Amino acid sequence: MALKFLVVDDAQSLASLTAQIIQKGFANSEVRTAQSNEKAFRVLKSFTPHLITTDIIHPGGDGFDLLTRLRGEPKTAIIPVIAVSGNATEQQQFDQYKHGFDAIVPKPWEPEQLITAIARLLRLRVDPDVSLIHLGLETQSHDYKETVDLVSKTGRASLAKDVMAMANWGGGKIIVGVAEPHPGEFVTQGVPDSLLDSLETSRLNRAVNAFLDPPVPITVRRVRDGNQLFVLLSVPAAKNSFVLVKCQNADAGIYPGRIYSRTSAAESAEVRSSSELRELLDRLQRRQD
């Protein structure tokens, strides 16, 4: 049975990203998007989804209004609804549950958070780690690598740059064992046995954190899919301060005194504009609250 989803979000880029992640996470699914409550109900006239996601704040009635109307109509009353909520406090999340949302995925969210929430509500047996491996999409919190070079200093510094940028953005996962033969085309190939020992947790942390201040405690998990083995590096969010460069490496493009983050193009890069810095500062402040 092909699953059907409706994504409601007034930000077209976020709606498209959410739709892509759902389509990648749940094979053969059909996902439609709407930018307002009225557009959502126009879609619902001829399309009955198995699940709906909605942001809270959007023009023409908010997510609470949408849920109230959904619950009031027999056709949509029992459809599970997930609130994709922007940086909600604990009290705001409690209010959202109290209003009747079936799950809350706070922004900024990682792909596996959304996949896991959907699978739980629809009672599907889905391994979120395997779903991430096959997502075929890089985001600010999700990155693929064919392999990592921990032998050369530049290789270690390059991985440190990605870890630092992801921590400053808000955390995420780096999946090792997925090649990108052409831009945007991802092919799973697994990690060879010869590389596995070097990706042991303590070794990897020593290699990366030689370049970072403060150190970033990376956790490492091996995930098997069929006859292929992948390594998932979980990068926590920086909370009390930005992670900065402790040891310069010009070949990797990291220099002391500069701030690095993830870009909307899913790249690790130096923050170069005041607007980018303000956004990063706001995100850091919200994580401290």
Side-chain angles (χ1 to χ4, degrees), residues 23 101 183 191:
Q23 287 173 326
F101 286 102
V191 176

Side-chain angles (χ1 to χ4, degrees), residues 76-88:
T76 58
I78 62 171
I79 296 175
V81 182
I82 295 177
V84 181
S85 178
N87 302 295

Side-chain angles (χ1 to χ4, degrees), residues 56 64 67 81-83 89-106 117 120-121:
I56 295 298
F64 292 108
L67 182 64
V81 182
I82 295 177
T89 64
E90 288 187 7
Q91 181 60 50
Q92 289 171 325
Q93 290 188 36
F94 175 77
D95 291 341
Q96 290 161 13
Y97 276 120
K98 187 176 178 180
H99 195 79
F101 286 102
D102 297 282
I104 298 166
V105 178
R120 179 177 60 82
L121 290 174

Side-chain angles (χ1 to χ4, degrees), residues 124-233:
L124 302 173
R125 295 179 65 86
V126 173
D127 184 333
D129 289 337
V130 174
S131 294
L132 279 183
I133 291 168
H134 294 283
L135 192 60
L137 176 71
E138 289 184 319
T139 69
Q140 287 160 309
S141 63
H142 181 239
D143 193 29
Y144 288 125
K145 290 191 179 299
E146 180 177 356
T147 186
V148 292
D149 171 18
L150 297 181
V151 176
S152 71
K153 187 173 182 180
T154 297
R156 297 192 297 272
S158 295
L159 180 58
K161 181 179 182 179
D162 289 327
V163 169
M164 169 175 49
M166 193 168 281
N168 286 337
W169 170 254
K173 288 194 171 54
I174 299 172
I175 299 176
V176 184
V178 180
E180 187 177 7
H182 305 288
E185 177 187 339
F186 300 99
V187 178
T188 58
Q189 62 180 30
V191 176
D193 292 341
S194 58
L195 184 62
L196 287 175
D197 286 345
S198 67
L199 293 178
E200 183 268 334
T201 302
S202 59
R203 290 184 182 182
L204 190 142
N205 273 277
R206 283 196 301 270
V208 167
N209 285 308
F211 297 90
L212 305 181
D213 180 32
V216 178
I218 307 163
T219 57
V220 180
R221 186 165 67 258
R222 297 180 182 184
V223 176
R224 182 170 293 282
D225 181 39
N227 61 356
Q228 293 180 323
L229 190 64
F230 301 85
V231 177
L232 275 62
L233 313 182

Side-chain angles (χ1 to χ4, degrees), residues 138-140 143 162 165 261-269:
E138 289 184 319
T139 69
Q140 287 160 309
D143 193 29
D162 289 327
S261 183
R262 296 282 288 174
T263 71
S264 57
E267 297 174 342
S268 301

Side-chain angles (χ1 to χ4, degrees), residues 220-259:
V220 180
R221 186 165 67 258
R222 297 180 182 184
V223 176
R224 182 170 293 282
D225 181 39
N227 61 356
Q228 293 180 323
L229 190 64
F230 301 85
V231 177
L232 275 62
L233 313 182
S234 295
V235 180
K239 290 188 177 181
N240 298 317
S241 65
F242 292 129
V243 180
L244 300 177
V245 177
K246 179 169 65 175
C247 181
Q248 175 174 313
N249 188 286
D251 290 334
I254 58 173
Y255 302 90
R258 302 183 186 181
I259 298 174

